[in-house]
Amino acid sequence: RARVAGLVRRERQRDAFESAVMEMRTLTIEDYLQDDFPHTAVALAESLVERYPTDLRLLQLLGDAWQGMGAQGPIDPETLSSSDKRQNRRDRARKTRAQRLAELLETEEGRAAYAENLKRAEETYQRVIATDAAFAPAYRGLGEVYEQQKRTRDAAEAYLTYVKQAPEAPDRPIVVGRLRLLTTLLKVEQ
């Protein structure tokens, strides 16, 4: 304490710190989504969007987080018992995301949560596009939401916009493949 008291006081550089750790925060949200912890991703993204409401990358990640929720409803961590937590870990280890989603969609609560989560994701992506219509990742997310909602034409249009606006995107071949499949489905529907 004596040493610290004798040090020269320096000005805190909060803005410099915030900008230095922002990339790490966005990567953390992406990691939570990839590792299938969507509740944590939503919580972190919402807290960052609250602090930085004009950051389109954060908004897009919030949309991704809502989409990642799938058919999971909100969880109150205070009400989870240790056995609930153990069961969740076992389910994650034994079942794929697709299997867990299919099980949840068999229930009325799961279908309602799925519809609500996709609606929130769609609204978030639309918010990004309303702010900057050239922000390509929002169109990819919107295409994914529409595809999950079985809105084939809307999904194809969103993917097409993404491909046009992000010709060098690393996931472009995947999106083009989805676009081809959707185009085929549209032809079959006609």
Side-chain angles (χ1 to χ4, degrees):
R1 286 183 183 168
R3 279 183 154 172
V4 171
L7 292 176
V8 177
R9 291 219 179 252
R10 294 188 298 173
E11 183 180 326
R12 290 184 182 223
Q13 303 285 327
R14 180 180 174 147
D15 291 338
F17 173 79
E18 290 293 322
S19 66
V21 297
M22 184 57 80
E23 181 64 22
M24 188 182 322
R25 288 177 175 153
T26 60
L27 290 172
T28 300
I29 295 169
E30 290 173 352
D31 285 347
Y32 280 132
L33 288 169
Q34 183 177 2
D35 295 340
D36 201 21
F37 293 98
H39 289 94
T40 307
V42 166
L44 181 55
E46 282 183 332
S47 71
L48 289 172
V49 166
E50 188 175 305
R51 288 170 48 196
Y52 306 100
T54 60
D55 189 317
L56 298 181
R57 174 79 174 120
L58 291 176
L59 278 169
Q60 181 255 323
L61 284 170
L62 178 58
D64 292 351
W66 280 116
Q67 189 181 157
M69 287 285 289
Q72 298 179 52
I75 292 178
D76 180 6
E78 302 296 321
T79 63
L80 285 179
S81 67
S82 294
S83 82
D84 291 335
K85 292 175 185 177
R86 279 192 302 276
Q87 182 61 42
N88 287 340
R89 281 193 298 272
R90 278 193 295 269
D91 279 351
R92 265 199 178 90
R94 294 180 182 155
K95 300 174 188 171
T96 66
R97 286 182 198 183
Q99 289 171 325
R100 292 192 312 270
L101 175 62
E103 284 180 6
L104 288 170
L105 289 175
E106 291 175 3
T107 67
E108 186 62 38
E109 296 84 14
R111 287 188 295 275
Y114 190 58
E116 180 61 27
N117 292 337
L118 290 178
K119 177 183 169 203
R120 286 182 174 183
E122 179 183 0
E123 289 170 350
T124 305
Y125 295 134
Q126 292 288 6
R127 184 173 155 195
V128 172
I129 291 167
T131 304
D132 181 359
F135 193 81
Y139 290 100
R140 185 199 62 235
L142 203 53
E144 291 169 348
V145 167
Y146 291 154
E147 194 173 359
Q148 291 172 29
Q149 293 172 332
K150 309 287 189 245
R151 294 167 57 183
T152 308
R153 181 168 307 284
D154 293 335
E157 289 173 4
Y159 285 146
L160 184 58
T161 303
Y162 173 70
V163 168
K164 286 179 179 177
Q165 290 186 356
E168 302 298 318
D171 63 347
R172 188 178 196 280
I174 295 167
V175 176
V176 168
R178 285 179 169 175
L179 188 53
R180 284 186 183 130
L181 177 63
L182 292 171
T183 303
T184 302
L185 289 173
L186 285 170
K187 287 178 184 175
V188 169
E189 289 175 6
Q190 291 175 356

